[in-house]
Amino acid sequence: MQIERITLYHVKLPYVTPFQTSRWIELDRECVLVRIEAGGLVGWGECVAGQHAGYSYETTKTNWHILDDFIVPAVLASDLDDIEGYRVAVGHITGHNMAKAGMELALWDLFGQRAGTSLQQLVGGRGDRVRVGVSVGIQASPEKLVEVVAGYLAQGYARVKLKIKPGRDTTDTAAVRRAFPDLLLQVDGNSVYRLEDAEHLQALDSFDLLLIEQPLAQDDLIDHAKLQPLLKTPICLDESIHSVTHARWALELGACRIINIKPGRVGGLHEAIQIHNFCRGQGVPVWMGGMLETGIGRAGNVAVASLPGFSLPGDISASARYFPEDVIDPPFTLNPDSTLTVPSGPGLGVRVREDVIRRLTLRQQAYPAGRSA
Ligand code: OSB
Ligand code: MG
């Protein structure tokens, strides 16, 4: 299938509320959206990197650069019939998983529509709903945090993740645990701690947490492997896992007991599925992470999260938790049982609001086939 036209949109969506982690703060969602056209069909993808390099070296600007200079020309020069073909076409590009995943998602959408098949069917998911939770940023005080968490519980979220940082971690977690003794609760350090903090982190063992996500540096499997035996709470890796090979290394080393899968971080849905399959074979639980995606990226995450090994609730909240206005219609809404419904239409199965995207666009570029650089 020859892609006839690709358009990139650098968009900026205001958040309902700022999102603060241990190492950076996000006030609005900037990302690159990918639109591809072929055979009268239109496919959409999203690159999950934001404007800051806090989570990864990838940002909206590096996504744009890698797409513009390498991925778009590679796609326009190929006759792609499947996702394998795409992976071969961009195989010469090292790293930049989020840029690669954005184009891959647009192709999944297009191939799904071409086959009249939903993304869920394409990836082998099952069931009409996936269990979800909410990721709560660092707040002004423990009291304010408890109030914010109470608000999400009132909306129906049955699992909460707290962002933690040194100086606030135990007080914040203790306050939420005291207020909600039975809540499914987990915490995320976003790479801010060091192995020397092991004794301090042991204090978190008393809060009956599902997991501690990415306490140490993103390239530090070795020290995670030293930390895990010192903690009762399972370590879950996020930033450290970029491929199924990293997942294997992490499990062989004993660096974690749970893995957070984010399609953007690992280069797309295809690699996300490989990690799921590998972990399932090892009996290791996985769950769907989130990157504060718009409805486009969220549709991909929801479909993959319906694979059977995703045994813990995902960071895939309703559109209204993130944005006053999403780029899809209807937006994702929370079901009373703390689930999101998996779209069943062809491809992503969501209607993309191009009018909203144009209004939110900071920069746009079209690449017609046959005129690529
Ligand atoms: O570490 O999981 C993370 C958002 C941006 C970057 C990193 C992370 C997150 C989240 C948000 O925790 C999860 C969501 O999309 O709801
Ligand atoms: Mg995380």
Side-chain angles (χ1 to χ4, degrees), residues 158-303:
R159 189 232 67 186
V160 169
K161 166 168 131 182
L162 306 178
K163 292 293 186 180
I164 56 166
K165 69 171 184 182
R168 290 284 304 274
D169 40 22
T170 48
T171 40
D172 278 353
T173 311
V176 173
R177 179 46 89 210
R178 201 177 315 118
F180 311 106
D182 301 322
L183 177 63
L184 296 179
L185 188 64
Q186 60 195 57
V187 296
D188 187 354
N190 283 115
S191 302
V192 78
Y193 297 97
R194 294 295 169 260
L195 186 57
E196 297 80 72
D197 300 315
E199 211 174 306
H200 175 73
L201 290 169
Q202 282 172 335
L204 294 170
D205 274 337
S206 62
F207 300 122
D208 190 21
L209 301 174
L210 290 168
L211 55 91
I212 299 177
E213 187 176 339
Q214 196 72 38
L216 311 182
Q218 59 93 21
D219 57 354
D220 203 347
L221 287 183
I222 302 286
D223 280 354
H224 277 108
K226 291 182 181 165
L227 179 62
Q228 178 65 90
L230 304 175
L231 300 177
K232 292 196 194 78
T233 311
I235 291 177
C236 168
L237 290 178
D238 172 358
E239 284 93 321
S240 294
I241 307 298
H242 302 275
S243 67
V244 67
T245 306
H246 284 101
R248 179 171 62 77
W249 290 339
L251 295 177
E252 280 182 13
L253 284 168
C256 65
R257 297 187 193 140
I258 300 175
I259 289 180
N260 162 324
I261 297 181
K262 293 180 180 173
R265 192 193 66 224
V266 305
L269 306 190
H270 183 278
E271 192 72 15
I273 296 163
Q274 302 313 304
I275 297 174
H276 161 273
N277 295 347
F278 175 73
C279 289
R280 192 156 185 246
Q282 303 277 310
V284 170
V286 300
W287 56 285
M288 179 57 63
M291 290 292 289
L292 310 162
E293 287 91 344
T294 76
I296 294 172
R298 192 165 308 282
N301 291 356
V302 167

Side-chain angles (χ1 to χ4, degrees), residues 118-121 123-131 302-308 335 337 339-344:
S118 71
L119 188 56
Q120 183 186 35
Q121 287 171 297
V123 302
R126 47 180 98 145
D128 58 346
R129 288 161 302 156
V130 295
R131 286 168 75 211
V302 167
V304 174
S306 73
L307 287 163
N335 299 318
D337 58 351
T339 62
L340 292 196
T341 299
V342 185
S344 56

